[in-house]
Amino acid sequence: MIRTCELKKSFGTNHVLRGINITISPHEVVVIIGPSGSGKSTLLRCLNLLEEPTSGKVFFRGQCITDPHVNVNEVRREMGMVFQRFNLFPHMTVIDNITLGPMKVRGASPEKAKQIGLDLLKKVGIAEKENSYPSELSGGQQQRVAIARALAMKPMAMLFDEVTSALDPEMIGEVLDVIEKLAEEGMTMVIVTHEMGFAREVGDRILFIDEGLIVEEGPPEQVLAKPRNPRTQAFLSKVL
Amino acid sequence: MTLDFSIIPGIIPALLLGTRLTVELAVIAVAIGLAIGSFVGIGRVGSRRIVRTITGIYVDFIRGTPLLVQLFLVYFGLPQLIGRPVPPFTAAIAAMGINSGAYVAEIVRAGIQSIDKGQMEAARSIGLTSPQAMRYIIFPQAFRRIIPPLGNEFIAMLKDSSLVSVIALEELLRKGQVIITRTFRPFEIYMVVALIYLIMTLIISRLVAWSEKRLKVVD
């Protein structure tokens, strides 16, 4: 579903990604781990072109989306993204946050969009908050709204960028539960996280990235429990 | 030398007439400024380099030169180019409007840039186009933040409008001067003129403070 080919990204002289080749199959849950500054988030953000790759190619459903002729808006609506800092629209109610995309991008009627929104709020467990403003919600609730907002576009894949890093510890569980539910439903997901327990539970495959390269990849029981690469071992011994 | 304020009641109607023109000038100038400044401010943060350069030159030129010189350029300079005189009122609102446009542009630019860039990313990530993201996400939030500085811009324009007294437009200051030539009471009359400006600016700054407080609650 998503494939990258020699993906590179530099910020000036800072080479953040130095040739990434990954293939993500439909319904697969890929978890990206690695030290801070290793390029995990940048990789994720290159997948939906929030960052423009310096070189290399990104394919989505067989189409090369780094081709300049491709309409990135059409690609992005098929790839939901959830951010570390929620990025809810503070001037809109919860339900308006969710219905904006379906209405303005998909052309859904207000009634249809609202129904989608209410169903999703129920799914993420905060149906009663539809008319609240984001500032009235806890961090965990805000992040669940952000997930609902992304799902409202009925995307084919979801990207999660350290979605629990800005949360108080007691709220992490409620957000991870939602993501797990999505995994069970077969959503294709790419997840950047520091939660190793969660990575093991939800991930079909783990990618360990360091200094802009994939150092090791494989099923969680192998990469997390019996890492082969010394750098993976060093990283895991620090975080586990 | 004694002060004689007994003449004041008699001249108030004339001064209020001037005050009306002052307010008109400031309102029209800021309205024009808002129209120009919205486009220029957006151009300043846009992706087209040529637009950024041109709008940048405009803002730098206007903010780097005195309003009085700009007024003279329009009132005395422009007729030389177009071959006919420019009426004082037209010259005044043109100069003040163009001047205000540059300041409003900076207010708009700062307002847009003050919005967290995660907002734009979130908007684009659900597939909104850049203009849609601006319209539904960035502007509504930026607008709340620019209301207070716009109020301050209005206060500045209200005071700076006194400059157009030099092209014989009978706004508040000029009205005062005309009355002084008749009554020879400069201190009393300039004091009253100053007080009228003060009352207006105090009212507006209170409104600005009030709106600031109200908008904060929503944020």
Side-chain angles (χ1 to χ4, degrees):
Chain A
M1 172 151 316
I2 303 174
R3 189 161 66 84
T4 70
C5 177
E6 279 304 305
L7 183 66
K8 291 181 186 166
K9 175 71 187 176
S10 310
F11 296 99
T13 56
N14 183 11
H15 305 291
V16 181
L17 298 179
R18 300 188 297 153
I20 300 273
N21 297 293
I22 54 172
T23 303
I24 293 147
S25 313
H27 311 301
E28 193 181 19
V29 179
V30 172
V31 178
I32 303 175
I33 60 170
S36 315
S38 57
K40 308 180 294 282
S41 288
T42 307
L43 170 57
L44 201 64
R45 293 160 57 85
C46 280
L47 296 183
N48 71 348
L49 304 181
L50 275 186
E51 297 289 357
E52 203 180 320
T54 310
S55 70
K57 287 179 175 155
V58 180
F59 296 87
F60 180 61
R61 301 166 68 215
Q63 184 190 25
C64 178
I65 59 171
T66 37
D67 188 316
H69 303 296
V70 169
N71 181 341
V72 290
N73 301 310
E74 284 173 13
V75 175
R76 290 202 185 108
R77 67 177 77 156
E78 306 300 340
M79 260 197 271
M81 187 166 200
V82 184
F83 302 86
Q84 181 175 351
R85 296 190 47 242
F86 327 139
N87 296 346
L88 292 178
F89 308 132
H91 60 301
M92 295 180 175
T93 60
V94 163
I95 190 74
D96 288 345
N97 263 273
I98 299 173
T99 56
L100 182 74
M103 280 164 57
K104 301 303 173 195
V105 180
R106 297 271 193 221
S109 68
E111 299 77 30
K112 179 89 196 322
K114 184 156 187 199
Q115 199 48 54
I116 295 172
L118 292 177
D119 289 346
L120 283 168
L121 281 177
K122 213 174 288 167
K123 180 173 185 167
V124 300
I126 36 174
E128 73 284 3
K129 298 291 186 188
E130 62 167 302
N131 293 318
S132 303
Y133 281 89
S135 58
E136 298 163 349
L137 304 183
S138 72
Q141 290 171 330
Q142 288 191 50
Q143 194 60 297
R144 284 186 280 157
V145 173
I147 295 173
R149 178 177 68 182
L151 290 174
M153 295 300 294
K154 305 215 185 307
M156 305 199 177
M158 288 280 284
L159 311 174
F160 292 89
D161 188 6
E162 300 191 28
V163 294
T164 57
S165 299
L167 295 177
D168 291 335
E170 75 270 21
M171 293 171 185
I172 291 174
E174 66 195 50
V175 172
L176 296 185
D177 286 346
V178 173
I179 302 175
E180 265 186 66
K181 207 176 341 171
L182 287 176
E184 283 161 20
E185 291 170 8
M187 175 63 83
T188 308
M189 299 196 279
V190 187
I191 301 172
V192 169
T193 187
H194 292 294
E195 301 283 330
M196 294 304 147
F198 174 66
R200 179 175 319 166
E201 214 153 293
V202 81
D204 296 318
R205 186 151 53 104
I206 307 280
L207 299 181
F208 174 72
I209 292 190
D210 195 13
E211 295 178 355
L213 289 169
I214 296 175
V215 173
E216 187 161 358
E217 67 176 301
E221 48 284 5
Q222 186 249 302
V223 176
L224 295 176
K226 288 177 270 182
R228 295 190 194 118
N229 190 292
R231 277 196 282 174
T232 319
Q233 292 164 359
F235 171 72
L236 288 172
S237 70
K238 266 181 245 161
V239 296
L240 287 179
Chain B
M1 191 67 207
T2 52
L3 291 177
D4 177 12
F5 284 97
S6 66
I7 53 160
I8 300 302
I11 61 162
I12 288 290
L15 286 180
L16 286 182
L17 219 57
T19 306
R20 204 180 117 182
L21 184 58
T22 289
V23 173
E24 269 174 26
L25 283 167
V27 168
I28 296 172
V30 172
I32 295 172
L34 203 55
I36 298 175
S38 301
F39 284 105
V40 173
I42 294 164
R44 291 269 279 162
V45 294
S47 53
R48 283 173 181 254
R49 170 166 293 194
I50 176 82
V51 175
R52 284 207 309 266
T53 307
I54 293 171
T55 52
I57 291 170
Y58 162 68
V59 169
D60 283 345
F61 178 81
I62 296 297
R63 299 206 311 165
T65 55
L67 174 57
L68 190 57
V69 175
Q70 294 160 15
L71 182 66
F72 284 177
L73 268 174
V74 175
Y75 186 63
F76 298 117
L78 199 56
Q80 185 192 328
L81 296 184
I82 61 174
R84 58 196 174 85
V86 179
F89 186 77
T90 310
I93 56 169
M96 288 170 64
I98 293 169
N99 179 278
S100 187
Y103 287 90
V104 174
E106 284 300 274
I107 292 170
V108 169
R109 181 189 60 74
I112 292 172
Q113 288 179 334
S114 75
I115 305 301
D116 184 78
K117 86 183 198 325
Q119 290 290 310
M120 185 52 128
E121 293 184 345
R124 299 304 301 276
S125 79
I126 54 174
L128 293 179
T129 62
S130 179
Q132 282 179 322
M134 278 296 196
R135 177 168 163 203
Y136 298 114
I137 307 304
I138 307 299
F139 289 149
Q141 295 183 65
F143 186 68
R144 293 172 188 196
R145 296 196 188 171
I146 68 175
I147 288 175
L150 273 184
N152 293 332
E153 166 62 15
F154 186 67
I155 290 175
M157 262 302 130
L158 206 59
K159 293 189 293 181
D160 288 351
S161 68
S162 59
L163 285 172
V164 306
S165 60
V166 299
I167 59 169
L169 213 52
E170 294 208 352
E171 42 65 74
L172 177 54
L173 177 60
R174 179 76 185 174
K175 268 277 192 267
Q177 288 171 331
V178 170
I179 297 167
I180 289 165
T181 58
R182 213 176 57 220
T183 59
F184 305 106
R185 284 284 166 192
F187 187 83
E188 292 92 330
I189 287 165
Y190 279 136
M191 271 311 284
V192 175
V193 167
L195 273 176
I196 294 175
Y197 278 114
L198 180 65
I199 290 166
M200 289 194 289
T201 54
L202 275 180
I203 291 172
I204 300 163
S205 64
R206 285 294 137 83
L207 281 174
V208 168
W210 173 79
S211 72
E212 236 167 53
K213 214 188 280 170
R214 266 206 52 155
L215 291 167
K216 218 172 249 161
V217 177
V218 186
D219 228 0

CSV table of all heavy atoms in Angstrom, one decimal, chain B residues 2 14 21 26 44 55 58 85 87 91 116 131 146 158 182 189 196 206 209 214:
chain,number,residue,atom,x,y,z
B,2,THR,N,-4.2,85.9,31.5
B,2,THR,CA,-5.2,85.0,32.1
B,2,THR,C,-5.8,84.1,31.1
B,2,THR,O,-5.8,84.4,29.9
B,2,THR,CB,-6.3,85.8,32.8
B,2,THR,OG1,-6.8,86.7,31.8
B,2,THR,CG2,-5.8,86.6,34.0
B,14,ALA,N,-18.5,74.1,16.3
B,14,ALA,CA,-17.6,74.1,15.2
B,14,ALA,C,-16.5,73.0,15.3
B,14,ALA,O,-16.2,72.3,14.3
B,14,ALA,CB,-16.9,75.5,15.1
B,21,LEU,N,-15.3,65.1,10.8
B,21,LEU,CA,-14.5,64.9,9.7
B,21,LEU,C,-13.2,64.0,10.0
B,21,LEU,O,-12.8,63.1,9.3
B,21,LEU,CB,-14.0,66.2,9.1
B,21,LEU,CG,-13.2,66.1,7.8
B,21,LEU,CD1,-13.9,65.4,6.7
B,21,LEU,CD2,-12.8,67.5,7.3
B,26,ALA,N,-10.5,58.9,9.6
B,26,ALA,CA,-9.9,57.7,10.2
B,26,ALA,C,-10.6,56.4,9.8
B,26,ALA,O,-10.0,55.4,9.5
B,26,ALA,CB,-9.8,57.8,11.7
B,44,ARG,N,2.5,38.7,1.8
B,44,ARG,CA,3.7,38.6,2.5
B,44,ARG,C,4.1,37.3,3.1
B,44,ARG,O,5.3,37.0,3.3
B,44,ARG,CB,3.7,39.6,3.7
B,44,ARG,CG,3.6,41.1,3.3
B,44,ARG,CD,5.0,41.7,3.2
B,44,ARG,NE,5.5,42.1,4.5
B,44,ARG,CZ,6.8,42.3,4.7
B,44,ARG,NH1,7.7,42.1,3.8
B,44,ARG,NH2,7.2,42.6,5.9
B,55,THR,N,5.2,43.2,-2.2
B,55,THR,CA,4.5,43.6,-1.0
B,55,THR,C,5.5,44.1,0.1
B,55,THR,O,5.2,45.0,0.8
B,55,THR,CB,3.6,42.5,-0.4
B,55,THR,OG1,4.4,41.3,-0.3
B,55,THR,CG2,2.4,42.2,-1.3
B,58,TYR,N,6.5,47.7,-0.7
B,58,TYR,CA,5.4,48.6,-0.3
B,58,TYR,C,5.4,48.8,1.2
B,58,TYR,O,5.4,50.0,1.6
B,58,TYR,CB,4.1,48.0,-0.8
B,58,TYR,CG,2.8,48.5,-0.1
B,58,TYR,CD1,2.4,49.8,-0.4
B,58,TYR,CD2,2.1,47.7,0.8
B,58,TYR,CE1,1.3,50.3,0.2
B,58,TYR,CE2,0.9,48.2,1.4
B,58,TYR,CZ,0.5,49.6,1.1
B,58,TYR,OH,-0.6,50.0,1.7
B,85,PRO,N,-5.6,68.9,-10.5
B,85,PRO,CA,-5.5,68.9,-9.1
B,85,PRO,C,-6.2,67.7,-8.4
B,85,PRO,O,-7.2,67.2,-9.0
B,85,PRO,CB,-6.1,70.2,-8.6
B,85,PRO,CG,-7.0,70.6,-9.8
B,85,PRO,CD,-6.4,70.0,-11.0
B,87,PRO,N,-8.5,66.7,-5.2
B,87,PRO,CA,-9.2,67.4,-4.1
B,87,PRO,C,-8.6,67.0,-2.8
B,87,PRO,O,-8.2,65.8,-2.6
B,87,PRO,CB,-10.6,66.8,-4.3
B,87,PRO,CG,-10.7,66.2,-5.6
B,87,PRO,CD,-9.3,65.8,-6.0
B,91,ALA,N,-7.2,63.3,-1.6
B,91,ALA,CA,-5.8,63.2,-1.3
B,91,ALA,C,-5.6,62.6,0.1
B,91,ALA,O,-4.7,61.7,0.3
B,91,ALA,CB,-5.0,64.5,-1.5
B,116,ASP,N,-0.2,28.5,15.3
B,116,ASP,CA,0.7,27.3,15.3
B,116,ASP,C,0.8,26.6,14.0
B,116,ASP,O,-0.3,26.4,13.4
B,116,ASP,CB,0.3,26.4,16.4
B,116,ASP,CG,1.2,25.2,16.6
B,116,ASP,OD1,2.2,25.4,17.2
B,116,ASP,OD2,0.9,24.1,16.1
B,131,PRO,N,-5.7,27.1,0.1
B,131,PRO,CA,-6.7,28.1,0.3
B,131,PRO,C,-7.8,27.7,1.3
B,131,PRO,O,-8.3,28.6,2.1
B,131,PRO,CB,-7.3,28.4,-1.1
B,131,PRO,CG,-6.3,27.9,-2.1
B,131,PRO,CD,-5.6,26.7,-1.4
B,146,ILE,N,-6.1,39.7,15.6
B,146,ILE,CA,-5.7,41.0,15.0
B,146,ILE,C,-6.7,42.1,15.4
B,146,ILE,O,-6.4,43.2,15.1
B,146,ILE,CB,-5.5,40.9,13.4
B,146,ILE,CG1,-6.9,40.7,12.7
B,146,ILE,CG2,-4.5,39.9,13.0
B,146,ILE,CD1,-6.7,40.7,11.2
B,158,LEU,N,-6.4,58.0,13.9
B,158,LEU,CA,-7.2,59.1,14.4
B,158,LEU,C,-6.3,60.3,14.8
B,158,LEU,O,-6.6,61.4,14.4
B,158,LEU,CB,-8.0,58.6,15.7
B,158,LEU,CG,-9.3,59.3,16.0
B,158,LEU,CD1,-10.3,59.2,14.9
B,158,LEU,CD2,-9.8,58.7,17.3
B,182,ARG,N,-9.4,83.8,14.9
B,182,ARG,CA,-10.4,84.7,15.1
B,182,ARG,C,-10.5,85.2,16.6
B,182,ARG,O,-10.7,86.3,16.9
B,182,ARG,CB,-11.8,84.0,14.8
B,182,ARG,CG,-12.9,84.9,14.3
B,182,ARG,CD,-14.1,84.0,13.9
B,182,ARG,NE,-14.6,83.3,15.0
B,182,ARG,CZ,-15.0,82.0,14.9
B,182,ARG,NH1,-15.0,81.4,13.8
B,182,ARG,NH2,-15.4,81.4,16.0
B,189,ILE,N,-7.9,76.8,23.3
B,189,ILE,CA,-8.5,76.0,22.2
B,189,ILE,C,-7.7,74.8,21.8
B,189,ILE,O,-8.3,73.7,21.7
B,189,ILE,CB,-8.7,77.0,20.9
B,189,ILE,CG1,-9.9,77.9,21.3
B,189,ILE,CG2,-9.1,76.2,19.7
B,189,ILE,CD1,-10.0,79.1,20.4
B,196,ILE,N,-10.5,66.5,23.1
B,196,ILE,CA,-11.4,65.8,22.2
B,196,ILE,C,-10.7,64.6,21.6
B,196,ILE,O,-11.3,63.5,21.6
B,196,ILE,CB,-12.0,66.7,21.1
B,196,ILE,CG1,-12.9,67.8,21.7
B,196,ILE,CG2,-12.8,65.9,20.1
B,196,ILE,CD1,-13.4,68.8,20.7
B,206,ARG,N,-10.4,51.6,25.4
B,206,ARG,CA,-11.2,50.8,26.3
B,206,ARG,C,-11.9,49.6,25.6
B,206,ARG,O,-11.9,48.5,26.0
B,206,ARG,CB,-12.3,51.6,27.0
B,206,ARG,CG,-11.7,52.5,28.1
B,206,ARG,CD,-11.2,51.7,29.3
B,206,ARG,NE,-9.9,52.2,29.8
B,206,ARG,CZ,-9.8,53.2,30.6
B,206,ARG,NH1,-10.9,53.8,31.1
B,206,ARG,NH2,-8.7,53.7,31.0
B,209,ALA,N,-9.4,47.0,24.9
B,209,ALA,CA,-9.1,46.1,26.0
B,209,ALA,C,-10.2,45.2,26.3
B,209,ALA,O,-10.0,44.0,26.7
B,209,ALA,CB,-8.9,47.1,27.2
B,214,ARG,N,-12.6,39.6,26.0
B,214,ARG,CA,-13.6,38.7,25.5
B,214,ARG,C,-13.1,37.6,24.6
B,214,ARG,O,-13.5,36.5,24.7
B,214,ARG,CB,-14.6,39.5,24.8
B,214,ARG,CG,-15.8,40.0,25.6
B,214,ARG,CD,-17.0,40.2,24.7
B,214,ARG,NE,-17.2,39.0,23.9
B,214,ARG,CZ,-18.4,38.7,23.4
B,214,ARG,NH1,-19.4,39.5,23.6
B,214,ARG,NH2,-18.6,37.6,22.7
